Amino acid sequence: AMETGISKSADWVGQALEAMFSDARSGPRDRDASTSTRAMETVLHVLSSLVMNGGPARDRYVVDFCTIALEAQGHPNMEVSKMAKSAATCLASASFGTVEAAIGVVEAVSAAAEAADENWYTRMGASLVLGSLLIVNSCFLGYAIGAVHARKEVEKLLRDTQVEVHNAASATLTRVLSAYEVSSPSLETTKERYLKLARTKVAKSQYKTEEGKAKLKKRLTGVLGLTALVHAFPYTVPFPDAVVALAKRTSDPSPVGTSAKNAVQHFKHTHTDSWAEARTHFTTEELEDLQDSNYSGSHA
């Protein structure tokens, strides 16, 4: 009888929570304090507590947590927005006990990002959460599985039209790649993939056409991927060809050229004190390319 009572109580609590989540998600997004904003604040408090306490309750509601915490990133009420960011940070530090649970959360975060067509705050928040989740849960995911999911989920965000989002995605990829040994075959494969994308051929005359824009988007994905790879090992030069490829994209139209230029400047800054050794990894011609971040490479 006692077990039956506990079960009924748990069901009632579950139903109450789900109703609360539903109301918070469907309510109006008011800028000023209101019943709707207070409901959202309550939900974010409850969800943060569930994630921090762990256990079956967290696993049961974590998908709801992902969706609500990320959707509220761009909430017009500043307090709700701040709480949502704090809640997302909470989620990013969560460690799950199984591969299935960890991958399930990664996929839920990615799904929330894909559904946020009009809210780039959600997409940027998803990118940052993905990186932390993959690192924190690497013991369950394994670096190989983690890398597969990173390339699959983060690459979608590397192609995002919002600068803040694709920059956050590149930073996320940097965190994932930095967990690998430099000699890892996976890194070599990753590099070749991004080199190919960065070298996508597109003529200047195509820049403003739909075909040209699609090709430039591929270039951007490659540039941001190479940027992540170079940034993952900031004080060494394991991939000089990646640095040179970035230099050859600095005169491309924005955001490709801007992203490449920033990456090359960052590389120069992190190698200032060790330049005498770092320069030995490049040929004379490649060094000339690196002398000026405004290098005028071929657009073909």
Side-chain angles (χ1 to χ4, degrees), residues 115-139:
D117 292 337
E118 299 179 2
N119 188 347
W120 67 265
Y121 289 98
T122 295
R123 303 196 302 276
M124 182 174 71
S127 175
L128 298 174
V129 170
L130 274 174
S132 294
L133 282 174
L134 288 165
I135 295 299
V136 172
N137 292 278
S138 60
C139 57

Side-chain angles (χ1 to χ4, degrees), residues 160-178:
D160 201 282
T161 55
Q162 189 73 30
V163 174
E164 291 86 349
V165 177
H166 64 232
N167 283 345
S170 184
T172 293
L173 193 56
T174 295
R175 294 187 63 188
V176 174
L177 297 179
S178 65

Side-chain angles (χ1 to χ4, degrees), residues 160-202:
D160 201 282
T161 55
Q162 189 73 30
V163 174
E164 291 86 349
V165 177
H166 64 232
N167 283 345
S170 184
T172 293
L173 193 56
T174 295
R175 294 187 63 188
V176 174
L177 297 179
S178 65
Y180 286 79
E181 293 292 335
V182 172
S183 58
S184 169
S186 294
L187 283 184
E188 186 65 26
T189 300
T190 298
K191 182 196 72 173
E192 292 301 324
R193 173 178 174 76
Y194 292 132
L195 281 174
K196 182 178 180 179
L197 287 168
R199 292 167 178 164
T200 299
K201 293 184 179 298
V202 51

